[in-house]
Amino acid sequence: QVQLRESGGGLVQPGGSLSLSCAASGSISFIGIMGWYRQAPGKERELVASINRRGNTNYADSVKGRFTISRDNAQNTVFLQMNSLKPEETAVYYCNAYISTYYLDPASEYWGQGTQVTVSS
């Protein structure tokens, strides 16, 4: 079974930085797009950033210039460097990936359990 495990969440002051990572493990044949989503209480889950295997990235407008998504294909890991964090970005951050578990099988969507990021003085 494929698992996505996030790490790096925690408490940070406004203007501070955090680095998140998410490693996929299990039976993996191919990982397509990987991304980060976040969901604050009372708000819809939103895409923060995504990245394909070639390194092409997509960012929410609200994080452009402050967040950087990257990945290490050899380690099946995606990262999110978050700088200049704002209190309104307090949320649970989820790792997402499209993964094929067997050769030529269609990819399925997988989610991590989420990691809490709290931006507060």
Side-chain angles (χ1 to χ4, degrees), residues 68-83:
T68 302
I69 189 170
S70 60
R71 65 190 286 172
D72 184 337
N73 292 332
Q75 297 295 321
N76 295 327
T77 302
V78 63
F79 307 91
L80 185 68
Q81 175 65 46
M82 303 185 292
N83 298 325

Side-chain angles (χ1 to χ4, degrees), residues 20-75:
L20 306 181
S21 64
C22 171
S25 62
S27 180
I28 297 172
S29 177
F30 178 86
I31 301 180
I33 293 174
M34 306 183 81
W36 290 94
Y37 290 75
R38 66 188 178 192
Q39 187 167 23
K43 297 181 65 177
E44 293 185 351
R45 184 181 64 186
E46 65 173 344
L47 174 69
V48 177
S50 64
I51 183 170
N52 69 12
R53 290 188 62 85
R54 300 186 67 177
N56 301 115
T57 58
N58 185 40
Y59 295 94
D61 288 341
S62 61
V63 308
K64 287 181 178 178
R66 298 186 298 115
F67 290 12
T68 302
I69 189 170
S70 60
R71 65 190 286 172
D72 184 337
N73 292 332
Q75 297 295 321

